[in-house]
Amino acid sequence: MTAALLPGPGHGRLRRLARRIPVRQLLCLLPLLLVAVVAVRDRSVLLEGFGRLRTASWPWLLAAAGATCLTWVAAAFTRQGAVIQPLPRWRLLATQFAAASANHLLPTGLGAGAVNLRFMTVCGVPLARSSAALALYLLAESVGRLSLLTALLLLFPDALRLGTLVPAGAAGPLPAIAGALLAVTVLALALVRRLRAPVLRFVRTALGEARSVHTRPARALALWGGSLAFPALQAAGLVAVGQALELPVPPAHMALAYLAATVAVALVPTPGGLGSVEAALIVALVAAGGPVAPATAVVLAYRIITVWVPLVPGALTLGALVRLKVI
């Protein structure tokens, strides 16, 4: 004769209490709470950035704002191009707007990745395929950014004094560190079967998804066209702000400085690159020949337009998408 463990009255009360907690409503408010925390932490940057905007040329600032809005369209095209299954267009675009805010509130790439992964899952894309699409998007975006940077470096080889971007002696250990990380990864995959099996399954799924995408010209065009347009529009936004504040640097050199700075900080795990991006952009613009004070003003104004102004509307959109179960 066996005895069955029955839940006591306390357990039932806890379950009823859990049902009464408005979890989804609390999740809707979480983005706004994170915005408030980040804004309080960086209030000095906000105040100085808005102060710089008062002396800028408004037509150029509107051009920068337009380029920023188009980056969400480019991201939507790239996301659709990375997956065979058609996604709802307007919800996809709204998700990119919300994902941009999430990206500024969480370590770089994690916020947007999580939002888009959830969105594709809700749209019926299996988790394996949505993860493969996310990896393909990241690869295409990286290739697009590096391709633009390489092209501009070839066209304007003397635009940047690259020695000022990397401290003396810092370049030496970087290949060794990268080689060590690669060796550890290969060794772990070779020795740990439980790790190797899921990784190989994911690689096979990702390669299959990439082949399927490239058999459809419309998907391939959206993937690679969007991945090139996204960093190009970001760089165009910085150029427009530079023109608005009369930074004495040629526009092509400013675009090159932007791409070089963002590639340099791509592996820094800060929320949206806050802090690291500003510092790298200032250094890059100075390396391109800009005076320190005007370069700082341009970077602060650019980050206000591209990060801080859309942050609250993006957080509200993110909360609305959570409430409507779009993500």
Side-chain angles (χ1 to χ4, degrees):
M1 184 174 181
T2 58
L5 292 177
L6 298 176
H11 182 75
R13 283 196 297 271
L14 288 175
R15 291 183 63 181
R16 286 194 297 272
L17 179 61
R19 290 195 197 100
R20 292 175 185 170
I21 296 175
V23 176
R24 188 167 289 274
Q25 286 79 359
L26 292 176
L27 288 175
C28 295
L29 296 175
L30 182 59
L32 288 177
L33 177 61
L34 291 175
V35 169
V37 171
V38 176
V40 170
R41 187 191 65 186
D42 296 314
R43 58 186 179 277
S44 59
V45 175
L46 276 171
L47 293 174
E48 187 172 355
F50 278 112
R52 301 288 187 180
L53 290 176
R54 288 200 296 267
T55 62
S57 170
W58 281 99
W60 281 112
L61 292 182
L62 290 175
T68 300
C69 294
L70 288 176
T71 59
W72 305 321
V73 178
F77 270 93
T78 313
R79 298 284 183 187
Q80 176 62 87
V83 64
I84 288 294
Q85 180 173 328
L87 303 172
R89 295 179 182 178
W90 293 109
R91 280 187 281 171
L92 175 60
L93 182 58
T95 300
Q96 302 320 301
F97 181 45
S101 289
N103 220 35
H104 296 308
L105 300 173
L106 296 173
T108 306
L110 292 181
V115 169
N116 279 284
L117 194 64
R118 176 62 182 167
F119 172 69
M120 286 187 285
T121 303
V122 171
C123 289
V125 182
L127 182 59
R129 289 178 54 198
S130 58
S131 301
L134 182 61
L136 182 57
Y137 169 88
L138 294 174
L139 175 64
E141 202 275 335
S142 300
V143 170
R145 191 175 297 270
L146 288 171
S147 298
L148 288 176
L149 175 60
T150 303
L152 286 176
L153 281 173
L154 292 174
L155 289 172
F156 307 99
D158 300 323
L160 289 180
R161 297 188 296 273
L162 295 178
T164 63
L165 292 175
V166 181
L174 292 180
I177 293 172
L181 290 174
L182 180 61
V184 169
T185 302
V186 171
L187 190 63
L189 291 175
L191 297 179
V192 184
R193 184 174 181 179
R194 290 185 177 181
L195 178 64
R196 183 172 65 250
V199 169
L200 290 177
R201 281 197 302 271
F202 174 77
V203 170
R204 283 195 294 267
T205 302
L207 290 176
E209 193 71 15
R211 282 194 298 267
S212 300
V213 163
H214 286 89
T215 59
R216 299 192 179 188
R219 289 288 187 270
L221 180 61
L223 176 66
W224 295 105
S227 66
L228 286 170
F230 184 73
L233 288 166
Q234 288 180 319
L238 180 67
V239 170
V241 175
Q243 296 293 93
L245 292 172
E246 300 181 350
L247 182 69
V249 176
H253 295 192
M254 278 192 272
L256 178 54
Y258 173 83
L259 293 169
T262 52
V263 168
V265 301
L267 298 179
V268 179
T270 58
L274 293 175
S276 59
V277 170
E278 284 89 344
L281 281 175
I282 292 170
V283 171
L285 288 176
V286 171
V292 176
T296 303
V298 167
V299 171
L300 291 176
Y302 173 73
R303 295 294 275 176
I304 288 291
I305 292 172
T306 58
V307 176
W308 292 105
V309 171
L311 198 55
V312 172
L316 290 172
T317 303
L318 180 59
L321 293 177
V322 171
R323 185 173 180 82
L324 296 172
K325 300 183 180 181
V326 174
I327 58 176

